[in-house]
Amino acid sequence: MKDFFNKETLDNIKQFCTENKKYVGVAVILIGLILMLIVVVAGGNNGRHSDTESESQAEISVKDFEFEKDYTNDAKDDINTLLADYYKAYVGDDLDTLGKLATPMSDNEKSYIGVVSQYYESVNDITPYTKNGLKKGSYFVSVKNSIKFTGVDTQAPTLDFFYIETGKDGKLFINNVYSNFNRTYCENELDNDIMELISKYTASSEFADLHEEVQKEYEQALSADANLKTMLETTLTGSIKQWYTSSGIANLKKSDADTQQADDASQNSEQQNTDANAGQTADQQTTDANAEQNADQQATDANAGQNTDQQTTDSNAANQQPAEQPQAPAEYQVVTKDVVKVRDGASTDSKELGLLKEQVTLTAYGTEGDWTIVSYSGGTNGRAYIKTENLQTVGQ
């Protein structure tokens, strides 16, 4: 190789190029064009490959997206750290730190945390169950944990939910728009696509199994420690009710309440008209009585010392009194008859908290319309609602 680049060889090459510079120039241009073509084609293929990936990802709609059956370990360490920091700040009422970890966080939610956290001593046994979301770097996370309340020996098993995303800085954060608080009070607008994904997530058999496990532990803890029961059902509930009435959050629901009140008034008016048409005016009652009783009986009743109209009204009123029904105990056990939806309120419009399988035993606290109030670890103040027709009272 060294001999190839000696002076004589280089002079020969120089002389050849001088004598054939026309052809050498054409060759150089041709080689340059070939190299440019290679670069353009390679870049085009990469672009098409990237576009194909984007198109493929865009083709997966919310409707078609399915969560993987198994939980993932993706970003496990980062998620564990985020949740540990979140619960530590929550217990310590460290609102500045919470606002950085979970955003956005309204003033109402901050005041709510201030009320609740005063009873927290610690949150322990933090165990996340994670599934990848539709968007890259997003995660749907159920968190099983145990809350230690001040002055209570037994810890309360609970199951929380978080929607976690990756920020522009590459760090994970809790998208707090989908916190239990905002999904209940809707201070910040909820994205329909993400809410649909959350519904899919909570409808999965894996979530149902996990919730059933925590629910059983929760029921056992309440049964084992009266102080824990008092803390959850009296002390904490009372403080939250007081917070609700004194905070601005109640005004958010005022318009909804007014609308509901108007609907109820309309229904009552319609019912009154129906009742009137059914024969509950004094004259109609008398007519009905005459149709049902013979004249001799009416005369006998009249001779008893009351006028016919009053007698008939009293008679009908007595006949219309329902038979006394046995009163349900203040607290009783119910069992799900089938897979049932659990909601945050006594309405199909209320937020869906999850699903329970058939033959799950729950503690019930009475009814509200067509709904039964049950003990539910994921509900507000440990309460939730299930359609009464989907439950069977134990012992009946």
Side-chain angles (χ1 to χ4, degrees):
M1 182 65 70
K2 182 177 180 181
D3 292 339
F4 178 79
F5 288 104
N6 60 34
K7 186 175 183 303
E8 182 179 355
T9 301
L10 292 175
D11 288 342
N12 290 335
I13 294 173
K14 183 177 180 182
Q15 183 179 354
F16 175 83
C17 291
T18 301
E19 294 174 352
N20 301 279
K21 58 183 179 180
K22 178 179 179 180
Y23 302 103
V24 171
V26 172
V28 170
I29 293 173
L30 182 60
I31 292 172
L33 290 173
I34 292 173
L35 291 174
M36 288 177 63
L37 182 62
I38 292 173
V39 171
V40 170
V41 171
N45 286 337
N46 287 336
R48 282 195 296 272
H49 180 65
S50 177
D51 290 342
T52 301
E53 287 183 338
S54 298
E55 289 171 4
S56 175
Q57 186 171 2
E59 286 174 359
I60 304 176
S61 65
V62 171
K63 182 179 179 180
D64 295 332
F65 178 78
E66 295 293 339
F67 288 96
E68 295 180 358
K69 187 170 181 61
D70 296 329
Y71 293 106
T72 181
N73 287 322
D74 291 354
K76 178 179 178 180
D77 292 339
D78 291 337
I79 289 175
N80 286 343
T81 300
L82 175 64
L83 293 173
D85 291 343
Y86 173 86
Y87 283 116
K88 180 179 179 181
Y90 196 105
V91 171
D93 194 22
D94 183 354
L95 300 178
D96 290 338
T97 299
L98 276 177
K100 296 174 182 176
L101 301 173
T103 184
M105 184 173 289
S106 69
D107 290 339
N108 281 322
E109 184 170 5
K110 289 177 180 178
S111 69
Y112 172 86
I113 292 172
V115 169
V116 173
S117 64
Q118 65 180 313
Y119 300 104
Y120 282 33
E121 184 175 305
S122 61
V123 178
N124 308 306
D125 306 321
I126 302 169
T127 307
Y129 296 82
T130 304
K131 291 198 174 186
N132 289 310
L134 174 59
K135 187 171 69 173
K136 184 178 179 181
S138 66
Y139 306 94
F140 291 72
V141 186
S142 294
V143 185
K144 181 180 178 183
N145 59 75
S146 299
I147 301 174
K148 174 69 170 66
F149 291 101
T150 302
V152 180
D153 293 334
T154 305
Q155 299 187 56
T158 60
L159 188 65
D160 292 329
F161 169 80
F162 296 96
Y163 177 57
I164 296 177
E165 292 186 298
T166 303
K168 294 180 179 179
D169 59 359
K171 295 181 179 179
L172 297 181
F173 71 97
I174 297 169
N175 188 332
N176 211 48
V177 170
Y178 305 97
S179 67
N180 183 59
F181 184 93
N182 192 61
R183 284 185 290 140
T184 299
Y185 298 112
C186 299
E187 291 190 278
N188 294 296
E189 186 176 357
L190 300 164
D191 182 88
N192 291 333
D193 286 346
I194 296 178
M195 289 302 294
E196 184 175 342
L197 289 172
I198 292 175
S199 294
K200 280 190 175 186
Y201 175 80
T202 56
S204 68
S205 59
E206 300 82 50
F207 180 85
D209 290 340
L210 181 59
H211 189 275
E212 182 180 354
E213 174 187 326
V214 175
Q215 184 67 28
K216 287 180 179 178
E217 294 175 2
Y218 179 82
E219 295 282 354
Q220 291 170 358
L222 287 184
S223 299
D225 193 332
N227 290 333
L228 177 61
K229 188 178 179 68
T230 299
M231 170 60 73
L232 291 170
E233 298 180 359
T234 304
T235 307
L236 191 58
T237 300
S239 293
I240 292 174
K241 286 181 178 178
Q242 185 176 1
W243 163 84
Y244 181 85
T245 55
S246 62
S247 72
I249 201 71
N251 294 328
L252 292 177
K253 294 295 182 181
K254 188 176 186 302
S255 60
D256 292 341
D258 290 343
T259 301
Q260 183 62 48
Q261 188 175 18
D263 290 343
D264 291 343
S266 176
Q267 291 176 1
N268 289 338
S269 177
E270 291 175 0
Q271 184 61 47
Q272 285 174 344
N273 289 335
T274 301
D275 291 343
N277 291 334
Q280 291 195 1
T281 64
D283 291 340
Q284 186 62 45
Q285 283 178 331
T286 304
T287 302
D288 291 342
N290 290 335
E292 295 174 0
Q293 297 180 352
N294 60 57
D296 291 340
Q297 182 62 47
Q298 282 183 325
T300 302
D301 292 340
N303 292 333
Q306 297 180 343
N307 62 63
T308 303
D309 288 342
Q310 183 61 48
Q311 251 184 348
T312 306
T313 301
D314 293 342
S315 177
N316 286 341
N319 291 334
Q320 290 173 3
Q321 288 179 352
E324 289 189 6
Q325 299 295 327
Q327 296 295 317
E331 182 178 310
Y332 54 102
Q333 300 296 306
V334 293
V335 177
T336 56
K337 296 189 204 177
D338 201 344
V339 176
V340 297
K341 290 182 179 181
V342 185
R343 297 189 180 275
D344 195 46
S347 166
T348 53
D349 293 330
S350 297
K351 180 183 67 177
E352 185 178 325
L353 300 175
L355 296 176
L356 288 178
K357 292 181 179 180
E358 183 180 0
Q359 292 300 306
V360 174
T361 302
L362 302 163
T363 300
Y365 302 96
T367 59
E368 186 174 322
D370 296 332
W371 299 76
T372 295
I373 306 167
V374 298
S375 174
Y376 190 79
S377 63
T380 304
N381 308 330
R383 294 285 193 276
Y385 295 79
I386 297 176
K387 272 277 192 179
T388 303
E389 65 186 22
N390 297 324
L391 299 171
Q392 174 68 48
T393 302
V394 175
Q396 290 188 359

